[in-house]
Amino acid sequence: QKEVEQNSGPLSVPEGAIASLNCTYSDRGSQSFFWYRQYSGKSPELIMFIYSNGDKEDGRFTAQLNKASQYVSLLIRDSQPSDSATYLCAVRSSSASKIIFGSGTRLSIRP
Amino acid sequence: EAQVTQNPRYLITVTGKKLTVTCSQNMNHEYMSWYRQDPGLGLRQIYYSMNVEVTDKGDVPEGYKVSRKEKRNFPLILESPSPNQTSLYFCASSWAGTDTQYFGPGTRLTVL
């Protein structure tokens, strides 16, 4: 079992709709959870982090964390073509030094 | 401008020829890290450093070396590169105790 799992996609969502990206992790002691966006040929860029159970909102982005289910998700409201990218879920391990990435979900917003 | 730089950006080399990929940051970050990115495998951590002279292995350290003699620099050394080290490499840095990592532009390495 991979430590951080994501559906590779591609996930195709119509413009203006809500895109929902999901991630599960295996280390129950994980403390910090991140979502990175990576455009093709570019480096990853941090868009959200979340530490506590529940929702965290930042503009059109909402991160959701459920530690009991070991599940973290990212919602993108009012999806735009510029949101088309690969989204990487990352988890800081219980040792607090290592950050483990999922393999990413490719999101495509169709006009 | 605050940034993480990597050199070279592209490199084609042959098996066994030692190489170094440099990483430098100008933000006085304590934490620096190297990742490799391969299709379907995502980003995997190679080595990380919590501060000068403090380094530790990540998930895939075999075949790589690092050093942290100065705070701003964290070179990645491949003593004897092999074709399975063909990959896209990213350096990243952050302040200690924070979670916002800044990534360099990447180095695409091909080992023939």
Side-chain angles (χ1 to χ4, degrees):
Chain A
Q1 180 192 4
K2 288 185 181 177
E3 293 181 80
V4 178
E5 292 211 49
Q6 296 180 253
N7 188 321
S8 61
L11 176 64
S12 181
V13 173
E15 185 174 356
I18 296 175
S20 177
L21 303 160
N22 304 315
C23 172
T24 57
Y25 60 94
S26 61
D27 182 354
R28 192 169 282 280
S30 298
Q31 302 169 26
S32 311
F33 308 85
F34 313 92
W35 283 101
Y36 284 81
R37 177 176 61 200
Q38 187 176 24
Y39 293 114
S40 181
K42 301 296 186 182
S43 53
E45 169 193 17
L46 181 67
I47 53 173
M48 292 282 291
F49 59 83
I50 186 167
Y51 303 137
S52 306
N53 277 329
D55 295 359
K56 179 182 178 182
E57 189 174 317
D58 184 359
R60 296 186 296 111
F61 299 96
T62 299
Q64 299 175 316
L65 175 61
N66 183 326
K67 288 187 178 180
S69 299
Q70 295 174 242
Y71 176 92
V72 59
S73 64
L74 179 70
L75 302 178
I76 306 174
R77 289 183 300 282
D78 187 23
S79 297
Q80 303 296 309
S82 60
D83 294 326
S84 295
T86 295
Y87 288 80
L88 303 168
C89 173
V91 173
R92 186 181 290 281
S93 70
S94 51
S95 72
S97 300
K98 289 170 55 172
I99 296 178
I100 301 167
F101 283 79
S103 56
T105 297
R106 192 152 51 94
L107 175 66
S108 176
I109 307 299
R110 56 182 190 271
Chain B
E1 180 191 352
Q3 60 183 346
V4 180
T5 57
Q6 294 179 227
N7 281 292
R9 295 288 315 280
Y10 303 90
L11 179 60
I12 299 174
T13 189
V14 295
T15 299
K17 186 176 181 182
K18 181 179 178 180
L19 66 92
T20 299
V21 183
T22 64
C23 173
S24 183
Q25 49 90 9
N26 61 1
M27 295 169 278
N28 203 35
H29 287 166
E30 291 86 9
Y31 183 92
M32 297 186 75
S33 183
W34 276 103
Y35 296 90
R36 60 178 290 175
Q37 188 172 35
D38 303 289
L41 296 177
L43 281 163
R44 292 180 293 166
Q45 194 173 44
I46 303 170
Y47 270 95
Y48 62 93
S49 170
M50 302 294 284
N51 214 325
V52 176
E53 301 292 1
V54 181
T55 63
D56 208 347
K57 296 177 181 179
D59 292 319
V60 288
E62 293 79 20
Y64 304 94
K65 285 175 57 178
V66 293
S67 69
R68 187 91 182 273
K69 292 182 171 36
E70 304 168 283
K71 198 172 187 180
R72 62 182 295 129
N73 296 322
F74 189 44
L76 179 69
I77 303 156
L78 285 72
E79 294 269 4
S80 183
S82 62
N84 65 11
Q85 293 178 297
T86 292
S87 188
L88 178 59
Y89 291 86
F90 288 103
C91 179
S93 68
S94 66
W95 285 287
T98 69
D99 285 316
T100 303
Q101 283 197 96
Y102 295 83
F103 279 80
T107 295
R108 187 165 292 281
L109 171 66
T110 301
V111 183
L112 302 174

